[in-house]
Amino acid sequence: MMRSRNSLRSALPEVRGAERFFAPILRLGAMIFLLFATVAAQKIAVLAPEKNGRSAEFAEALSGALEQQLKLIDPSLAETAFLASGAETPFNLTVEDARNIGAAIGCDYFIIVRAEDLPRYSLAKKEYFESYAAIFSVRARTGGLIDFRLSSFNGFDQKDASRLLREEIPRLGVELAAKLRQNFAMPVSESLGERPAEIPIDGSPDSTGFRPPIPYRRLSPKYPVTADLYAIAATVDIEVDLDEKGTVRRTEIVRWAGFGLDEAVETAVRAMNWRPAERNRRFEPSRFLLRYNFKKIEKED
């Protein structure tokens, strides 16, 4: 049956109303599709820089847990590219070195693992064993450490401790995959507005009439208990933006170490009271780099 022109006109508002109702749903569906497509396209590399059996074994098992959920790069290709980068401190990388490694591998993220079995002693347990794995997750585009986690188990002997750690790997795989998926959806943060000028080099023309910022009260970052337990020796570099009032406006860890060291540095820097940079007796914003070296101090008996 043919409908009259008037009846067709009366149906048009219904069609337009349906379009207005379904349009947001269609847009949301398209966004979800693009998000899942982006997640599926992300390439992950798992690396074990240290040449010991425990690290390689853990990396292989973790790869098996992750490859069910994420797209992993062939480990032999990833290792070849990583070795070619010549990284001297693979667990204490600058963001520039990390970006170069990611570009060489051709990945979006890479995960570095370090696993060991350690004999331990205590008055309560006397001798026992600890099996642990330190896991560093890095975003290749920025070189930043997006996640550090430490998984540790004690056992009566080495076999018992390593078994407990091995049984934890499936759960770790689920947690890491969720963390990476969460980071996939986060845009790479870009600097908003103009960044302050870097502190000029002494003796350069720009250093004339310039006084660098200094803290009124200098604080040393605390050496974390976790880093102390594993005798971590590392360097942490932090970039600081200070405004003309001496307020810390931005910090960025540009050489990371994990084990709570990065957080200890940022906490100390932000807790300091700063006298701002000064040029020709006028305060001005500035950007500078601070470096902190950590190592375990052995106590004398």
Side-chain angles (χ1 to χ4, degrees), residues 213-242:
I214 60 170
Y216 291 113
R217 184 168 61 99
R218 192 178 299 275
L219 299 175
S220 296
K222 294 181 179 179
Y223 189 56
V225 173
T226 303
D228 181 72
L229 181 62
Y230 297 96
I232 301 300
T235 298
V236 175
D237 291 345
I238 185 170
E239 194 174 75
V240 183
D241 285 1
L242 208 66

Side-chain angles (χ1 to χ4, degrees), residues 122-149:
S122 73
L123 293 176
K125 298 181 181 180
K126 294 188 178 180
E127 184 176 2
Y128 63 98
F129 269 84
E130 177 196 3
S131 289
Y132 82 91
I135 308 169
F136 302 74
S137 298
V138 183
R139 190 169 191 173
R141 183 174 172 184
T142 64
L145 182 67
I146 64 165
D147 185 72
F148 172 81
R149 62 189 61 212

